[in-house]
Amino acid sequence: MLELEVLSREECDRHLRDSAVARVAVCTPDGPHVVPVNYALVDDAVVVRTVAASVLGTHAPGNVVCLEVDDISPVLHAGWSVLVRGRAEALTPDALDAPLRTWVPRESDVVLRLRLAECEVSGRLLPAGAGRRS
Amino acid sequence: MLELEVLSREECDRHLRDSAVARVAVCTPDGPHVVPVNYALVDDAVVVRTVAASVLGTHAPGNVVCLEVDDISPVLHAGWSVLVRGRAEALTPDALDAPLRTWVPRESDVVLRLRLAECEVSGRLLPAGAGRRS
């Protein structure tokens, strides 16, 4: 029976480079929140733009967050996911040289940075054909 | 300038009915974790199969979790997301009459249930054309 396969670090890095949308989970006093975000890889760090007054801007800086990227096909019942877990640093937007695309037209006043070298990076693959209905 | 739009409760329910994959975030003593899952709507509750010894099986029962469903197009820079936040009950798999599909061929010994009537359900839409590069 096929199972979830573990992705190598190289495969995780490739998926992180090739994607632009992630979900970031933070813990708050009233439980976890998840926020879909655009992100970019800049100098071996994941960077996310946000707003200081938002859920992310309030609860991510200085705390451990979990960023998830995936591509899961409802047709093939197959896909992959990559998790990046680590402490988020808060920077001002002008601290980054590289532009950071976002699809939401909103002013951002905080950049969250997760340095990959200081994070847990892990990935899983559900290969096509592994899925079944039960 | 276009912004994220708020989805009505009816639109959230429709997206929850029409999707099969979600990400569930839990808070653990070492920060948040996110797990991609298959889910189903059964009797106005979201149900997820998992394994007692897993991250979800360990940290979700009795605690507030955040389940996120989305469909975001990297081509259109547009999409929607729905969040369901509430306390997860743990049931035995035979407590459910309805079958619960999962694409990962793995024995599940716990079913997590989030009753929508007891949860915060919210949704956001990023309409096509709202996105920009900046």
Side-chain angles (χ1 to χ4, degrees):
Chain A
M1 187 190 283
L2 288 167
E3 284 279 352
L4 284 177
E5 296 176 7
V6 174
L7 293 181
S8 70
R9 177 57 194 267
E10 290 67 31
E11 290 169 312
C12 292
D13 287 348
R14 179 169 57 80
H15 285 312
L16 288 172
R17 273 197 307 274
D18 291 347
S19 303
V21 175
R23 297 95 193 163
V24 178
V26 291
C27 288
T28 80
D30 66 340
H33 276 262
V34 176
V35 182
V37 298
N38 288 121
Y39 75 93
L41 270 192
V42 178
D43 298 335
D44 284 326
V46 171
V47 291
V48 173
R49 278 167 53 157
T50 190
V51 176
S54 67
V55 170
L56 275 192
T58 303
H59 298 286
N63 294 319
V64 174
V65 305
C66 184
L67 179 135
E68 192 258 7
V69 181
D70 67 38
D71 188 10
I72 299 171
S73 164
V75 174
L76 298 177
H77 292 194
W80 56 264
S81 67
V82 172
L83 296 184
V84 178
R85 293 186 71 247
R87 206 164 290 278
E89 298 168 85
L91 309 175
T92 56
D94 57 11
L96 289 179
D97 290 337
L100 208 169
R101 295 170 300 157
T102 173
W103 303 342
V104 181
R106 186 164 60 175
E107 289 304 317
S108 305
D109 51 9
V110 177
V111 171
L112 300 173
R113 178 166 66 183
L114 290 168
R115 293 178 187 273
L116 294 182
E118 298 167 4
C119 290
E120 294 171 30
V121 179
S122 61
R124 296 289 181 277
L125 174 73
L126 177 62
R132 63 168 185 183
R133 291 180 178 256
S134 57
Chain B
M1 187 188 285
L2 288 167
E3 284 279 352
L4 285 177
E5 296 176 8
V6 174
L7 294 180
S8 70
R9 177 57 193 266
E10 290 66 33
E11 290 169 312
C12 292
D13 287 349
R14 180 170 56 80
H15 285 312
L16 288 173
R17 273 196 308 273
D18 291 347
S19 303
V21 176
R23 298 93 193 163
V24 178
V26 291
C27 288
T28 79
D30 66 340
H33 276 262
V34 176
V35 182
V37 297
N38 289 121
Y39 75 93
L41 270 192
V42 178
D43 297 335
D44 284 327
V46 171
V47 291
V48 173
R49 277 166 53 156
T50 190
V51 176
S54 68
V55 169
L56 275 193
T58 302
H59 298 286
N63 294 319
V64 173
V65 306
C66 184
L67 180 135
E68 192 258 7
V69 181
D70 67 38
D71 187 11
I72 299 170
S73 164
V75 175
L76 297 177
H77 292 194
W80 55 264
S81 67
V82 172
L83 296 184
V84 178
R85 292 187 71 248
R87 206 164 290 278
E89 299 168 85
L91 310 174
T92 55
D94 56 11
L96 289 179
D97 290 337
L100 208 168
R101 296 170 300 157
T102 173
W103 303 341
V104 180
R106 186 164 60 174
E107 290 304 317
S108 305
D109 51 9
V110 176
V111 170
L112 301 173
R113 178 166 65 184
L114 290 169
R115 294 177 186 274
L116 293 182
E118 298 167 5
C119 289
E120 294 171 30
V121 179
S122 60
R124 295 290 181 276
L125 174 74
L126 177 62
R132 64 168 185 184
R133 290 178 179 258
S134 58

